[in-house]
Amino acid sequence: MDEKSVADLIQRDLDGTLSPEEKLRLEREIATNPQIRRMHTELRAVKDALSQIADVNPPPTLKPSILREIQRRRAPVRTPQSILARLLEPFRLKPAIRYAVAVAGGIMVGIIGFAVLSTLPSSSSLDNNDIIGTLSLGGSLKEVTPGPQLDIAGEGIQGAVRTESTKDFRVIHCELTADHPSEVTITFDPSKSSVVAAKNDLTRGTSILARDGEVRLAGDRGIRSTVLFSAPAGGVVSLHVSVTWGGAAVVERDLVLGTGSPG
Amino acid sequence: MIELEDATLVRRSLEGDPHAFEVLVDRYQKVVFNIAFRLTRDRGEAEDVAQTTFLKAFEALRSYNSRHKFFSWLYAIAVHEALNASGRKGRFARLEEDVESAGDTPEEVVTRKQIEERIVEGLAELKFEHRVVIVLKHLQNLSYEEVSQILGIPEKKVKSRLFTARTMLKDVLARKGMGPNG
């Protein structure tokens, strides 16, 4: 048997991985070859000696020093704070409080947003066939001619429906103060004129409803609205104005605009 | 309490769980320290090596391939660090051990410590490549496959290197009067 094979057998014998046949073969070699016997004995002695070496305990400072260093490396690098961040530093809140403040802020924004939007005229109350585009205040508006005026004075309601005429428009200003919901209905001949633009004062609870030949202004606590009609070819626009308050008609009157003199 | 697998702890650590890596440190600090100590023979140096090993492992955790054993990867870092430390140091420091000696009589402890001291001194005379296979195979009882993975060499080479290391250690110990008969 060559030296390499013998060394392999001894090695595996020390590792305890020899088959019974291989074990017998090694034992035969050991019995007949003093050099192999000596090598086997010495290597086993080394192995036995090594097995006597016990583990040593790590110093108690090892783990804390590792964890401390890991903690240090995990900590985010703090960049220099801006002036704003430094000013806000005292107001920094715990996450739970920040969350509550964010929720409360969201609710407040929602309430305010609803309040603002609810004052806008509802898109459903304007008919695109009647209300066309946005009024551009040109020079002609400055040359206004006062028209007939309807004064309203009743129990819990006061104000007026004023009219004006310009070169291109016939204008109605409705200014009413009321204790209860009120409504102004303006009817006209749609074949002769049309509503060009309308505006209210964005007060809560007011609305403008435009239909074919009819404009209805309404308000919970009064009305401040302006409606512009197109000037027809003949220049004259006949309107019927009806003011109701508390469900009953207060005043009704026909107004003719564009005659060049207050009606 | 259920003991989590190394791969699970690695994953949790990567997910930001600060306690996951602590469990790994608990689990392997003793072996890593012993490998470092047997290779450097200096407690202070071994502590530095062990600390560096865990910190490097933590930093490189994303590169760990969970198809391999975590401890093989960790011990490979430890061996590499110990090799660097040995290179820096040149010679080994004086042996100073705090050996576990459960159940031994005082006489047995003294005898065993003398034997150990001679073996460790003998180990110190071996080249690093021979010393490391003895430390991993005999002192940490790792398999040839595991030693092969840690050192990055074929199993066959581990076996031949181990045989050479044993033979050299035998010769060193014989010179120190510590043959098979005494």
Side-chain angles (χ1 to χ4, degrees):
Chain A
M1 187 178 283
D2 61 44
E3 193 177 331
K4 195 177 174 187
S5 300
V6 171
D8 181 57
L9 281 179
I10 292 174
Q11 174 108 323
R12 290 171 54 211
D13 183 45
L14 296 177
D15 293 336
T17 57
L18 283 181
S19 67
E21 294 76 20
E22 289 170 328
K23 185 90 177 168
L24 276 175
R25 207 163 71 212
L26 178 62
E27 283 172 357
R28 273 201 303 273
E29 291 293 329
I30 289 170
T32 57
N33 189 327
Q35 198 177 343
I36 292 174
R37 183 166 60 248
R38 181 179 170 82
M39 181 191 284
H40 183 264
T41 306
E42 288 174 342
L43 287 175
R44 179 164 288 285
V46 167
K47 190 197 172 194
D48 291 344
L50 286 168
S51 67
Q52 292 185 49
I53 296 180
D55 278 344
V56 293
N57 288 318
T61 54
L62 177 59
K63 181 185 163 188
S65 67
I66 293 168
L67 297 181
R68 196 166 47 246
E69 182 60 19
I70 286 174
Q71 180 71 25
R72 193 185 66 77
R73 294 184 184 192
R74 265 195 171 134
V77 178
R78 296 197 69 163
T79 53
Q81 287 186 312
S82 66
I83 293 172
L84 179 64
R86 269 180 275 170
L87 286 172
L88 293 174
E89 184 72 23
F91 301 101
R92 289 184 67 182
L93 300 169
K94 291 179 178 178
I97 299 175
R98 278 208 299 267
Y99 177 76
V101 168
V103 170
I107 291 170
M108 286 297 292
V109 168
I111 290 171
I112 292 169
F114 176 78
V116 170
L117 292 174
S118 63
T119 62
L120 295 171
S122 169
S123 59
S124 62
S125 51
L126 291 175
D127 189 330
N128 289 336
N129 293 325
D130 294 329
I131 308 299
I132 304 164
T134 303
L135 173 66
S136 176
L137 297 176
S140 65
L141 260 186
K142 294 177 182 173
E143 300 167 11
V144 294
T145 302
Q149 178 169 322
L150 175 59
D151 292 314
I152 299 163
E155 193 178 347
I157 185 166
Q158 192 166 2
V161 176
R162 295 184 297 108
T163 65
E164 291 174 337
S165 294
T166 69
K167 181 185 171 193
D168 299 315
F169 305 109
R170 305 292 174 258
V171 185
I172 284 197
H173 298 287
C174 183
E175 294 182 13
L176 293 176
T177 305
D179 293 338
H180 296 283
S182 55
E183 190 172 285
V184 175
T185 303
I186 306 163
T187 53
F188 60 97
D189 185 353
S191 64
K192 295 181 178 175
S193 183
S194 63
V195 175
V196 177
K199 168 184 175 293
N200 72 5
D201 64 353
L202 303 181
T203 303
R204 193 173 182 182
T206 61
S207 64
I208 299 176
L209 180 65
R211 291 180 183 150
D212 192 18
E214 183 182 279
V215 177
R216 188 171 297 171
L217 313 173
D220 290 337
R221 311 287 286 183
I223 299 167
R224 287 174 62 87
S225 302
T226 300
V227 183
L228 273 70
F229 295 85
S230 61
V236 176
V237 172
S238 296
L239 303 173
H240 178 79
V241 178
S242 170
V243 180
T244 60
W245 178 84
V250 175
V251 166
E252 281 190 86
R253 184 171 168 185
D254 289 320
L255 299 174
V256 180
L257 286 73
T259 58
S261 62
Chain B
M1 185 176 152
I2 299 171
E3 192 172 90
L4 293 173
E5 290 184 0
D6 290 349
T8 304
L9 291 167
V10 168
R11 180 174 52 74
R12 287 192 180 181
S13 183
L14 287 171
E15 289 169 354
D17 180 351
H19 301 296
F21 198 77
E22 185 179 347
V23 177
L24 290 169
V25 173
D26 268 333
R27 194 171 287 176
Y28 293 113
Q29 64 165 333
K30 188 169 184 177
V31 178
V32 167
F33 180 78
N34 272 272
I35 290 173
F37 181 57
R38 295 305 173 195
L39 292 175
T40 64
R41 282 197 70 207
D42 181 283
R43 285 186 72 86
E45 194 77 57
E47 187 173 359
D48 286 348
V49 166
Q51 182 178 13
T52 307
T53 298
F54 280 106
L55 293 177
K56 285 197 170 180
F58 178 76
E59 295 288 346
L61 216 49
R62 289 197 184 281
S63 68
Y64 162 65
N65 186 342
S66 59
R67 283 183 301 176
H68 302 299
K69 289 173 182 169
F70 174 76
F71 67 78
S72 297
W73 181 72
L74 186 69
Y75 296 170
I77 298 173
V79 167
H80 186 76
E81 288 304 312
L83 177 61
N84 288 342
S86 298
R88 285 196 301 270
K89 218 167 141 61
R91 292 187 60 81
F92 291 110
R94 189 176 62 81
L95 178 66
E96 45 174 336
E97 295 186 43
D98 174 24
V99 177
E100 290 183 343
S101 51
D104 291 349
T105 64
E107 293 77 16
E108 286 171 332
V109 170
V110 170
T111 305
R112 192 156 60 78
K113 286 197 81 167
Q114 287 172 342
I115 293 170
E116 279 186 28
E117 193 166 336
R118 287 184 185 176
I119 294 168
V120 174
E121 283 173 359
L123 269 176
E125 293 188 23
L126 301 184
K127 291 200 296 188
F128 188 91
E129 65 179 37
H130 294 128
R131 193 162 67 243
V132 71
V133 287
I134 286 182
V135 168
L136 296 177
K137 184 73 182 74
H138 282 296
L139 304 190
Q140 298 306 325
N141 297 312
L142 299 176
S143 68
Y144 284 112
E145 183 189 2
E146 288 162 351
V147 175
S148 162
Q149 283 178 5
I150 292 167
L151 299 181
I153 58 177
E155 274 187 53
K156 201 171 175 182
K157 194 156 190 173
V158 172
K159 287 177 183 174
S160 66
R161 198 176 283 183
L162 182 64
F163 185 81
T164 305
R166 281 166 170 165
T167 306
M168 292 174 79
L169 183 60
K170 163 184 75 73
D171 294 340
V172 170
L173 294 178
R175 279 207 311 275
K176 292 177 179 291
M178 196 181 154
N181 299 319

